[in-house]
Coordinates of all heavy atoms in Angstrom, one line a residue:
I15 N 104.6 131.2 74.8 CA 103.2 130.9 74.9 C 103.0 129.4 74.5 O 102.3 128.7 75.1 CB 102.4 131.7 74.0 CG1 102.5 133.2 74.4 CG2 100.9 131.4 74.0 CD1 101.8 134.3 73.4
A16 N 103.7 129.0 73.4 CA 103.6 127.7 72.9 C 104.2 126.7 74.0 O 103.7 125.6 74.3 CB 104.3 127.5 71.6
Y17 N 105.3 127.2 74.5 CA 106.1 126.4 75.5 C 105.2 126.1 76.8 O 105.1 125.0 77.2 CB 107.4 127.1 75.9 CG 108.3 126.3 76.6 CD1 108.8 125.1 76.2 CD2 108.9 126.8 77.9 CE1 109.7 124.4 77.0 CE2 109.8 126.1 78.6 CZ 110.2 124.9 78.2 OH 111.1 124.2 79.0
A18 N 104.6 127.2 77.2 CA 103.7 127.1 78.4 C 102.6 126.2 78.1 O 102.2 125.4 79.1 CB 103.3 128.4 78.8
A19 N 102.0 126.2 76.9 CA 100.8 125.4 76.6 C 101.3 124.0 76.6 O 100.5 123.1 77.1 CB 100.3 125.8 75.3
M20 N 102.4 123.6 76.2 CA 102.9 122.2 76.1 C 103.2 121.7 77.5 O 103.0 120.5 77.8 CB 104.1 122.1 75.2 CG 103.8 122.2 73.7 SD 102.5 121.0 73.1 CE 101.1 121.9 73.1
I21 N 103.7 122.6 78.3 CA 104.0 122.2 79.7 C 102.7 121.8 80.4 O 102.6 120.9 81.2 CB 104.7 123.4 80.5 CG1 106.2 123.5 80.1 CG2 104.6 123.2 82.0 CD1 106.9 124.7 80.6
V22 N 101.6 122.5 80.1 CA 100.3 122.2 80.7 C 99.8 120.9 80.1 O 99.3 120.1 80.8 CB 99.3 123.4 80.5 CG1 97.8 122.9 80.9 CG2 99.7 124.6 81.2
V23 N 99.8 120.7 78.8 CA 99.4 119.5 78.1 C 100.0 118.2 78.6 O 99.3 117.3 78.9 CB 99.5 119.6 76.6 CG1 99.3 118.4 75.9 CG2 98.6 120.8 76.0
F24 N 101.3 118.5 78.8 CA 102.1 117.2 79.2 C 102.3 117.1 80.8 O 103.0 116.2 81.3 CB 103.5 117.2 78.6 CG 103.4 116.8 77.2 CD1 103.3 117.8 76.1 CD2 103.4 115.5 76.6 CE1 103.3 117.5 74.7 CE2 103.3 115.2 75.3 CZ 103.3 116.2 74.4
R25 N 101.6 118.1 81.5 CA 101.6 118.1 83.0 C 103.1 118.1 83.5 O 103.3 117.3 84.5 CB 100.8 116.9 83.5 CG 99.4 116.9 83.1 CD 98.7 115.7 83.6 NE 97.3 115.6 83.1 CZ 96.3 116.3 83.7 NH1 96.5 116.9 84.8 NH2 95.1 116.2 83.3
V26 N 103.9 118.9 82.9 CA 105.2 119.0 83.4 C 105.4 120.4 84.0 O 105.8 121.3 83.5 CB 106.3 118.9 82.3 CG1 107.7 119.0 82.9 CG2 106.2 117.6 81.5
F27 N 105.0 120.4 85.3 CA 104.9 121.8 86.0 C 106.2 122.1 86.7 O 106.5 121.4 87.7 CB 103.7 121.8 86.9 CG 102.3 121.5 86.2 CD1 101.7 120.3 86.4 CD2 101.9 122.5 85.4 CE1 100.4 120.2 85.7 CE2 100.7 122.3 84.6 CZ 99.9 121.1 84.8
P28 N 106.9 123.0 86.3 CA 108.1 123.4 87.0 C 107.8 124.0 88.3 O 106.7 124.6 88.5 CB 108.8 124.4 86.1 CG 107.8 124.9 85.1 CD 106.7 123.8 85.2
D29 N 108.7 124.0 89.3 CA 108.4 124.6 90.6 C 109.0 125.9 90.6 O 109.4 126.5 89.6 CB 109.0 123.7 91.8 CG 110.5 123.5 91.6 OD1 111.2 124.2 90.9 OD2 111.0 122.6 92.3
W30 N 109.2 126.6 91.8 CA 109.7 127.9 91.9 C 111.0 128.3 91.4 O 111.4 129.4 91.0 CB 109.6 128.3 93.4 CG 110.6 127.6 94.2 CD1 110.5 126.4 94.9 CD2 112.0 127.9 94.5 NE1 111.6 126.0 95.5 CE2 112.6 127.0 95.3 CE3 112.8 129.0 94.2 CZ2 113.8 127.0 95.7 CZ3 114.1 129.1 94.6 CH2 114.6 128.0 95.4
K31 N 111.8 127.1 91.1 CA 113.1 127.3 90.6 C 113.1 127.9 89.2 O 114.1 128.3 88.6 CB 113.9 126.1 90.6 CG 114.2 125.5 92.1 CD 114.9 124.3 92.1 CE 115.0 123.6 93.5 NZ 113.8 123.0 93.9
I32 N 112.0 127.9 88.5 CA 111.9 128.5 87.2 C 112.2 129.9 87.1 O 112.4 130.4 86.1 CB 110.5 128.1 86.6 CG1 110.4 128.3 85.0 CG2 109.4 129.1 87.2 CD1 111.2 127.4 84.3
I33 N 112.2 130.6 88.2 CA 112.5 132.0 88.3 C 114.0 132.2 87.9 O 114.4 133.4 87.6 CB 112.3 132.6 89.7 CG1 113.2 132.0 90.8 CG2 110.9 132.6 90.1 CD1 113.2 132.6 92.1
F34 N 114.7 131.1 87.8 CA 116.1 131.3 87.3 C 116.2 131.3 85.8 O 117.3 131.7 85.2 CB 117.0 130.0 87.8 CG 118.4 130.2 87.5 CD1 119.2 131.1 88.3 CD2 119.1 129.4 86.5 CE1 120.7 131.2 88.0 CE2 120.4 129.5 86.2 CZ 121.2 130.4 87.0
M35 N 115.1 131.1 85.1 CA 115.1 131.1 83.6 C 115.6 132.4 83.0 O 116.2 132.4 82.0 CB 113.7 130.7 83.1 CG 113.6 130.5 81.6 SD 112.0 130.0 81.1 CE 112.2 130.1 79.3
P36 N 115.1 133.6 83.5 CA 115.5 134.8 82.9 C 117.0 135.0 82.9 O 117.6 135.7 82.1 CB 114.8 136.0 83.8 CG 113.6 135.2 84.3 CD 114.0 133.8 84.5
V37 N 117.7 134.4 83.9 CA 119.1 134.5 84.0 C 119.8 133.8 82.9 O 120.7 134.2 82.1 CB 119.7 133.9 85.3 CG1 121.2 133.9 85.3 CG2 119.1 134.7 86.5
I38 N 119.2 132.6 82.5 CA 119.7 131.8 81.4 C 119.6 132.5 80.1 O 120.4 132.6 79.3 CB 119.0 130.4 81.3 CG1 119.2 129.6 82.5 CG2 119.4 129.6 80.1 CD1 118.3 128.3 82.7
V39 N 118.3 133.1 80.0 CA 118.0 133.8 78.7 C 118.8 135.1 78.5 O 119.4 135.3 77.5 CB 116.5 134.2 78.7 CG1 116.2 135.1 77.5 CG2 115.6 132.9 78.6
F40 N 119.1 135.7 79.6 CA 119.9 136.9 79.6 C 121.3 136.6 79.1 O 121.8 137.3 78.3 CB 119.9 137.6 81.0 CG 121.0 138.7 81.0 CD1 120.7 140.0 80.5 CD2 122.3 138.6 81.7 CE1 121.7 141.0 80.6 CE2 123.2 139.5 81.7 CZ 122.8 140.8 81.1
F41 N 122.0 135.6 79.6 CA 123.3 135.4 79.3 C 123.4 134.7 77.9 O 124.4 134.8 77.2 CB 123.9 134.4 80.4 CG 124.5 135.2 81.5 CD1 123.7 135.1 82.7 CD2 125.6 136.0 81.5 CE1 124.1 135.9 83.9 CE2 126.0 136.8 82.6 CZ 125.3 136.7 83.8
L42 N 122.4 134.0 77.4 CA 122.3 133.5 76.1 C 122.2 134.7 75.1 O 122.8 134.6 74.0 CB 121.1 132.6 75.9 CG 121.0 132.0 74.5 CD1 122.2 131.4 73.9 CD2 119.8 131.1 74.4
L43 N 121.4 135.7 75.4 CA 121.3 136.9 74.6 C 122.6 137.7 74.6 O 123.0 138.1 73.5 CB 120.1 137.9 75.2 CG 118.7 137.4 74.8 CD1 117.8 138.4 75.7 CD2 118.5 137.7 73.4
L44 N 123.2 137.7 75.7 CA 124.7 138.3 75.7 C 125.6 137.6 74.8 O 126.3 138.2 74.0 CB 125.1 138.4 77.1 CG 126.1 139.4 77.5 CD1 125.5 140.9 77.3 CD2 126.5 139.3 78.9
F45 N 125.5 136.3 74.8 CA 126.4 135.4 74.0 C 126.0 135.7 72.5 O 126.9 135.8 71.7 CB 126.1 133.9 74.4 CG 126.9 132.9 73.6 CD1 128.3 132.7 73.8 CD2 126.3 132.3 72.5 CE1 129.0 131.8 73.1 CE2 127.0 131.4 71.7 CZ 128.4 131.1 72.0
A46 N 124.7 135.6 72.3 CA 124.2 135.8 70.9 C 124.6 137.3 70.4 O 124.9 137.5 69.2 CB 122.7 135.8 70.9
L47 N 124.6 138.3 71.3 CA 125.0 139.7 70.8 C 126.5 139.7 70.4 O 126.9 140.3 69.5 CB 124.6 140.6 71.9 CG 124.9 142.1 71.6 CD1 124.1 142.5 70.4 CD2 124.4 143.0 72.8
G48 N 127.3 139.0 71.2 CA 128.7 138.9 70.9 C 129.0 138.2 69.6 O 129.8 138.7 68.8
V49 N 128.4 137.1 69.3 CA 128.4 136.4 68.0 C 127.9 137.3 67.0 O 128.5 137.4 65.8 CB 127.8 135.0 68.0 CG1 127.8 134.4 66.7 CG2 128.3 134.1 69.1
S50 N 126.9 138.0 67.2 CA 126.2 138.9 66.2 C 127.3 140.1 65.7 O 127.4 140.3 64.5 CB 125.0 139.5 66.7 OG 124.0 138.6 66.9
Y51 N 128.0 140.6 66.8 CA 129.0 141.6 66.4 C 130.1 141.0 65.6 O 130.5 141.7 64.5 CB 129.6 142.1 67.7 CG 128.8 143.2 68.5 CD1 128.6 143.1 69.8 CD2 128.3 144.3 67.8 CE1 127.9 144.1 70.5 CE2 127.6 145.3 68.4 CZ 127.4 145.2 69.8 OH 126.6 146.1 70.4

């Protein structure tokens, strides 16, 4: 929510490629889970 607000404030509007973001988050979570174990 804070991230989206700052993107609007600074007028840095990502295009449709932002749909790839969940892929980044998913594999980071997988990495974090491995380190957590």
Side-chain angles (χ1 to χ4, degrees):
I15 298 171
Y17 190 55
M20 288 301 98
I21 282 174
V22 172
V23 168
F24 288 95
R25 298 177 182 275
V26 183
F27 300 108
D29 59 17
W30 64 271
K31 297 181 187 71
I32 196 66
I33 62 172
F34 188 72
M35 184 179 176
V37 176
I38 299 169
V39 174
F40 171 78
F41 282 102
L42 178 55
L43 279 171
L44 207 59
F45 179 82
L47 187 54
V49 174
S50 295
Y51 279 133

